Amino acid sequence: MATPSNFQMKVTEGQLGYVLQDVPHITDYIPNLPTYPNPLRSNPAYSVVKQYFVDMDDSVPQKIVVHKDTPRGVHFRRAGPRQKMYFTPEEVNACIVTCGGLCPGLNTVIREIVHSLDYMYGATKVLGIDGGYRGFYAKNTIPLSPKIVNDIHKRGGTILGTSRGGHDTVKIVDSIQDRGFNQVYIIGGDGTQKGAAVIYEEIRRRGLKVAVAGIPKTIDNDIPVIDRSFGFDTAVEEAQRAINAAHVEAESAENGIGVVKLMGRYSGFIAMYATLAS
Ligand SMILES: Nc1ncnc2c1ncn2[C@@H]1O[C@H](COP(=O)(O)OP(=O)(O)OP(=O)(O)O)[C@@H](O)[C@H]1O
Ligand SMILES: O=P(O)(O)OC[C@H]1O[C@](O)(CO)[C@@H](O)[C@@H]1O
């Protein structure tokens, strides 16, 4: 479970101190890959929306406030739908895995991936990996279709199951190769994303046409460059209920004090938002 020795950050430098800390991409090792127009371009529901597609060169600054004379600083590649695609809908054979601790919204993310692939892109082959990374080689897969996932956002947890440990890169990529998966959606925290990075490196080493997409999961909302991480709002709502209950107890006793311990070991967003709101 280590970062691969040949792992190198993909950094591009531009004018005026512009630095792009980029994500690895399939075209880094398969150049001249054929592209296809995104089917959403001819879908009236999307094509009428101005600037629906994200430009290839769009990036998001790490720090919004800069001074006139300071370098433009670190940027990250902007996520979102592109005009060009690297897979035809018929070719897509996708899988989804959830790893690490639970977070509200995991089932919603699974549902959105399945619905988007099918309803928006016409890609119907999607399987779930049972029980986190080790499920790739130790368990069966779970069929996923729009009908199967239709109501899962109303349930807690993850319908795919999750786990810690069990990351064996070679076995995982063997399973991806054997099953013919070419899109791998990996939902999880920082450990999971480190795991996704080594999976990508092994896929790259084997020269496979497989896209790896990491979807960050953190209930703590501690990713500064995104507006809000999924599950955070639910955590704040639940935390308010605990604070309100503790408040009632504390008020009713002489010199009563209520103590509520909330999640967020290194970041106090849940504590701050819940306290302000209660
Ligand atoms: N450096 C690493 N290389 C490869 N795999 C890793 C690495 N770190 C963690 N993993 C794998 O990622 C999975 C999830 O990791 P972990 O238990 O650390 O949770 P997490 O993704 O950080 O989520 P949470 O924030 O809920 O703890 C585990 O299966 C673990 O084996
Ligand atoms: O169960 P443990 O080890 O205390 O971990 C809880 C920690 O995990 C998180 O829930 C998620 O990162 C933190 O907010 C929290 O402090």
Side-chain angles (χ1 to χ4, degrees):
M1 290 212 316
T3 309
S5 52
N6 59 349
F7 184 82
Q8 278 200 323
M9 289 280 288
K10 204 173 134 190
V11 178
T12 312
E13 293 190 13
Q15 286 180 339
L16 306 172
Y18 172 91
V19 177
L20 177 66
Q21 280 189 11
D22 212 351
V23 280
H25 193 259
I26 199 166
T27 50
D28 294 350
Y29 61 95
I30 315 182
N32 309 321
L33 204 56
T35 58
Y36 312 95
N38 191 326
L40 300 181
R41 279 165 59 176
S42 47
N43 181 330
Y46 300 95
S47 55
V48 292
V49 182
K50 260 194 186 165
Q51 294 185 333
Y52 179 76
F53 295 102
V54 170
D55 191 274
M56 289 293 278
D57 292 327
D58 279 3
S59 61
V60 179
Q62 185 178 36
K63 286 190 183 154
I64 296 174
V65 180
V66 286
H67 300 290
K68 179 162 68 71
D69 301 322
T70 52
R72 291 187 59 201
V74 173
H75 289 62
F76 304 106
R77 194 169 286 277
R78 186 177 173 206
R82 303 300 205 255
Q83 302 252 15
K84 286 191 300 185
M85 325 235 319
Y86 294 96
F87 296 87
T88 62
E90 304 74 38
E91 183 188 3
V92 172
N93 185 12
C95 68
I96 307 174
V97 65
T98 49
C99 311
L102 289 182
C103 176
L106 278 168
N107 282 334
T108 308
V109 175
I110 295 166
R111 181 176 183 268
E112 288 304 311
I113 296 172
V114 176
H115 277 186
S116 307
L117 280 171
D118 191 312
Y119 294 147
M120 293 164 77
Y121 291 97
T124 54
K125 273 183 276 171
V126 193
L127 287 177
I129 304 299
D130 191 351
Y133 277 135
R134 64 166 64 87
F136 271 105
Y137 54 88
K139 292 200 174 183
N140 287 325
T141 51
I142 299 165
L144 295 174
S145 67
K147 201 169 168 202
I148 290 172
V149 301
N150 200 33
D151 284 326
I152 64 171
H153 57 302
K154 297 173 189 162
R155 287 153 56 182
T158 157
I159 57 152
L160 304 179
T162 183
S163 64
R164 299 186 188 277
H167 184 104
D168 185 322
T169 312
V170 171
K171 282 191 191 168
I172 292 170
V173 179
D174 282 350
S175 161
I176 290 171
Q177 204 170 355
D178 292 347
R179 295 177 195 268
F181 292 134
N182 51 21
Q183 292 191 357
V184 181
Y185 294 89
I186 301 178
I187 311 168
D190 52 344
T192 304
Q193 301 310 329
K194 285 176 193 147
V198 283
I199 289 171
Y200 164 81
E201 284 300 331
E202 180 61 17
I203 284 171
R204 177 189 178 128
R205 198 185 64 75
R206 298 187 193 187
L208 307 175
K209 187 188 172 189
V210 177
V212 179
I215 298 152
K217 167 201 74 72
T218 164
I219 202 168
D220 300 340
N221 193 35
D222 52 353
I223 307 178
V225 288
I226 62 174
D227 293 339
R228 193 158 299 180
S229 57
F230 72 84
F232 173 70
D233 283 339
T234 309
V236 170
E237 248 170 61
E238 291 301 315
Q240 281 176 61
R241 283 148 57 109
I243 292 172
N244 289 340
H247 186 70
V248 170
E249 290 275 353
E251 252 190 350
S252 308
E254 198 183 348
N255 297 325
I257 295 175
V259 178
V260 177
K261 185 180 174 189
L262 296 171
M263 298 175 89
R265 185 178 296 137
Y266 301 113
S267 73
F269 287 113
I270 298 179
M272 181 177 73
Y273 276 68
T275 309
L276 288 175
S278 53

